[in-house]
């Protein structure tokens, strides 16, 4: 017993010494604190386990064997002693995709045609390490097609039925261009056979139509013709069908689709391309609508056909859209909604919810139904979308597509390729990753298939959760303290009741039900505060990747990196973190040492802390006077200046006048006043106390000068010049004389200017007159236009005698 206890305390001492030998390897491997090789390889894809027996130094814990590969090599672990199992893939079935032409001599069975490769493989997955494989898809030419035509036989589809009666042979001829193996079937639906969907009066049950119309009794769904390659038989049986009727506008088509999907034996579906053509000119009822007829049981998704008639429409509610999507997908059925223009919008929304479905516009009498089916089939078959079964917990899958014309996609778009023609080959790259090991390590199987196709890839998942060396372990090994454990992968896995690195401790050696109790704080369930290992009742703290960060304390309850932070730094960079509490440097305080005791940032320009208007807290002023603000409480938008603030008090105390003359003794005794003879005697800048020089006017318009200062004791001192500077009064007589003289001089100047202008004007007019006079061409003594009224005649014979 004494020897055992000695070994126990030696182990504890070694573990404590380990603080100086912390590993510097990969963080994920170290943080895992792995106790075995299996735990180590699950910590990450880069983690390895050193199984070398003498790898650990004295005092190192078993978890030090787990590190990244480079760190293990640097610590002296040979590669042959490093356990680092890797994942792998193995293809079990890899048939080539089928290459053949339509009309070829060979006639293959549907199960002999291959469109997807590989078909089966095994993936061995290690946690965090993805396994990748390629999947090839090729649309085979001349691939068999099963088409089931499901038709609404309510009264509004009467004219459509006439055109569908010859659909069989006509569609056979068209489909021969696509495939040599084509089968067609026919089914019809109306509505649930209960009120208020149909009239349940005896007469209406026999003939739901009015007038002379001969209609068949209402029914929910009827399988008229199972899938057959005889087009004439289709025409014959469909030709015998009659229209029925119901009361409300939406029809019970969802009941019919569900039965077509799940009743594979009665319908005759093969493992080939399955097409369901849903033809109607009305909307649809879905889950919940059955309550109108008192039907509350949800649809069970099972086949209920007796004599090709759906017998449980009155018992089960309509299926939901999600339920239909599930069943159509499970049975690889691609749906074509052939509906009239009026309900295009409704069924296009439904198409968005049902993968691998298409919508076509049906003419009022279904005359275009063949071309509609051909176009919809080409649309559906030109796109391949991969779908996987439910994944096991912790397993993820990703896709990358390599489509035609170099189009590549990832994420959700990586699941599909579009615009694929018959004979085209596309590839997908698929990554499968395990993020954790299953609890029991059991194998799992997942399947991947293209939507609407029956072929699938079967993937068996095997998880690597333990190392190979575990199987080579030595039970009851002498290396584990007298055979108290199994020696595997270079370390001891202790037997029940034994603990310690070498299984050197027994739970019976301490007076406690649980030896871990020595490693728990009072009122706590955490062992070593979840920050260390309890080895033989003693906590050995974990080491962190950053060697500057350490756990400490009896229960590893302390650390030096979980203190309060400021500006992104522990303790603001102004202290030391000790046991999650900051010890601040001098002149700093606060939980994060972010509060400075230095008052210099609070010093105002006048030398006062916060301008005497606040308190300095953590190097920032907290202004107590609400009028003041700013970093040093010096900003005041509504305050007078120092000079204006003290003007009235200085005036009343120094000169006994002003607005505060009557209240001077009550309001103006807060400063010490000193009179000086002149302005030169006032204190000048440069003295220790902040100083303000002031020049203000008193009530007599005289200027008076003073200074205002506050000493370090907070006392205000005012020095004032005892004699104000008053301006002398004006001399009235010279001012009046000057004004009168100015007025007279201005008047004389204006008269002279006027006289000068008149002289200039007269001279210009006279000169103009003289010029016109010189230019005259007639005698100045006679008017040139004057003519005398007297005419004088001289007698030539008169000689004056």
């Amino acid at each position: 017993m004494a020897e055992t206890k000695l070994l126990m305390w030696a182990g504890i001492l070694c573990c404590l010494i380990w603080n100086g030998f912390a590993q510097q390897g990969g963080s994920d491997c170290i943080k895992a604190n792995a106790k075995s090789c299996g735990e180590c390889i699950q910590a990450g894809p880069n983690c390895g386990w050193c199984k070398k027996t003498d790898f650990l130094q004295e005092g190192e814990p078993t978890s030090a064997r787990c590190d990244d590969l480079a760190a293990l090599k640097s610590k002296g672990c040979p590669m042959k002693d490093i356990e680092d199992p890797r994942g792998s893939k193995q293809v079990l079935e890899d048939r080539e995709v089928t290459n053949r032409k339509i009309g070829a001599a060979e006639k293959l069975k549907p199960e002999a045609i291959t469109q997807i490769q590989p078909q089966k493989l095994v993936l061995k997955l290690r946690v965090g390490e993805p396994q990748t494989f390629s999947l090839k898809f090729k649309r085979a030419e001349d691939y068999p097609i099963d088409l089931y035509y499901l038709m609404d036989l309510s009264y509004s589809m009467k004219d459509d039925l006439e055109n569908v009666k010859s659909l069989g042979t006509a569609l056979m001829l068209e489909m021969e261009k696509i495939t040599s193996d084509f089968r067609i079937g026919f089914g019809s639906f109306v509505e649930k056979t209960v009120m208020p969907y149909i009239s349940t009066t005896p007469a209406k049950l026999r003939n739901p139509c009015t007038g002379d119309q001969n209609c068949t009794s209402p029914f929910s769904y009827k399988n008229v013709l199972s899938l057959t390659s005889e087009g004439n038989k289709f025409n014959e049986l469909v030709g015998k069908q009659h229209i029925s009727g119901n009361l409300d506008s939406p029809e019970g088509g969802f009941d019919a689709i569900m039965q077509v999907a799940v009743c594979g034996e009665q319908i005759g579906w093969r493992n080939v391309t399955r097409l369901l053509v849903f033809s109607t000119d009305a909307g649809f009822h879905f889950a919940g609508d059955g309550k109108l007829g008192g039907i509350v049981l949800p649809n069970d998704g099972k086949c209920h056909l007796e004599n090709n008639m759906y017998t449980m429409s009155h018992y089960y509610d309509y299926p939901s859209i999600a339920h239909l999507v599930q069943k159509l997908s499970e049975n690889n059925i691609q749906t074509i909604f052939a509906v009239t223009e009026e309900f295009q919008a409704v069924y296009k929304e439904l198409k968005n919810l049902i993968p691998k479905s298409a919508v076509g516009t049906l003419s009022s009498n279904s005359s275009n139904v063949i071309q509609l089916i051909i176009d919809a089939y080409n649309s559906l078959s030109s796109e391949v979308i991969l779908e996987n079964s439910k994944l096991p917990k912790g397993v993820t899958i990703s896709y990358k597509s390599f489509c035609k014309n170099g189009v590549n996609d990832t994420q959700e778009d990586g699941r599909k390729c579009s615009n694929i023609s018959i004979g085209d080959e596309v590839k997908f790259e698929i990554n499968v990753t395990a993020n954790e090991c299953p609890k029991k390590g059991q194998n799992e199987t997942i399947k991947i298939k293209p939507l609407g196709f029956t072929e699938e890839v079967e993937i068996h998942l095997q998880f690597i959760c333990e190392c190979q060396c575990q199987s080579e372990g030595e039970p009851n090994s002498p290396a584990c303290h007298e055979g108290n454990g199994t020696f595997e992968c270079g370390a001891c896995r202790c037997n029940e009741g034994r603990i310690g690195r070498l299984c050197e401790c027994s739970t019976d050696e301490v007076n406690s039900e649980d030896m871990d109790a020595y490693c728990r704080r009072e009122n706590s369930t955490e062992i070593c505060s979840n920050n260390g290992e309890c080895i033989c009742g003693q906590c050995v703290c974990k080491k962190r990747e950053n060697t500057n960060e350490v756990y400490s304390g009896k229960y590893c309850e302390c650390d030096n990196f979980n203190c309060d932070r400021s500006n992104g730094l522990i303790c603001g960079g102004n202290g030391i973190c000790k046991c999650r509490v900051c010890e601040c440097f001098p002149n700093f305080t606060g939980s994060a040492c972010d509060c400075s005791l230095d008052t210099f940032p609070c010093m105002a320009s006048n030398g006062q802390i916060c301008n005497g208007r606040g308190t300095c807290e953590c190097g920032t002023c907290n202004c107590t006077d609400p009028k003041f603000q700013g970093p040093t409480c010096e900003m005041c938008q509504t305050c007078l200046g120092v000079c204006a603030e003290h003007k009235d008090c200085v005036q009343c105390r120094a000169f006994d006048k002003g607005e505060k003359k009557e209240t001077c003794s009550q309001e103006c005794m807060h400063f010490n006043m000193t009179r000086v003879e002149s302005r030169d005697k006032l204190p000048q800048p440069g003295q220790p106390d902040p100083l303000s020089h002031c020049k203000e006017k008193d009530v007599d318009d005289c200027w008076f000068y003073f200074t205002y200062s506050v000493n370090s004791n907070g006392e205000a001192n005012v020095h004032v010049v005892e004699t104000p500077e008053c301006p002398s009064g004006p001399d009235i007589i010279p001012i009046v004389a000057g004004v009168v003289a100015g007025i007279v001089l201005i008047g004389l100047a204006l008269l002279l200017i006027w006289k000068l202008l008149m002289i200039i004007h007269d001279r210009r007019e006279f000169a103009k007159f003289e010029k016109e006079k010189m230019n005259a061409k007639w005698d100045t003594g006679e008017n040139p236009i004057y003519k005398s009224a007297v005419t004088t005649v001289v007698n030539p014979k008169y000689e004056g005698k």
Side-chain angles (χ1 to χ4, degrees), residues 48 119 423 534 613 743:
Q119 295 78 39
C534 184
R613 308 283 184 177
I743 294 173

Side-chain angles (χ1 to χ4, degrees), residues 279-389:
S279 175
T280 184
D281 64 348
F284 49 82
H285 284 296
F286 52 89
D289 289 354
K291 293 180 180 179
L292 296 173
I295 303 172
V296 295
L297 286 177
N299 196 287
D300 64 350
K302 296 180 180 179
C303 182
H304 296 286
L305 290 186
E306 293 182 11
N307 297 323
N308 288 320
M309 296 288 290
Y310 178 40
T311 59
M312 301 298 284
S313 67
H314 65 287
Y315 190 75
Y316 289 118
D317 193 6
Y318 302 98
S320 66
I321 295 175
H323 200 180
L324 275 185
V325 170
Q326 176 191 355
K327 292 301 180 181
L328 289 172
S329 177
E330 285 179 2
N331 293 281
N332 305 305
I333 296 174
Q334 304 177 61
T335 310
I336 300 172
F337 296 105
V339 298
T340 55
E341 182 69 33
E342 180 184 359
F343 289 93
Q344 281 288 301
V346 174
Y347 282 92
K348 283 183 178 179
E349 291 297 325
L350 181 60
K351 166 191 170 295
N352 294 333
L353 300 174
I354 301 179
K356 294 294 282 185
S357 62
V359 176
T361 305
L362 190 67
S363 62
S364 59
N365 58 1
S366 298
S367 58
N368 67 331
V369 67
I370 293 179
Q371 190 59 44
L372 185 154
I373 293 172
I374 299 297
D375 293 343
Y377 169 73
N378 289 331
S379 173
L380 290 172
S381 59
S382 67
E383 182 177 57
V384 58
I385 303 174
L386 295 184
E387 179 187 50
N388 53 266
S389 60

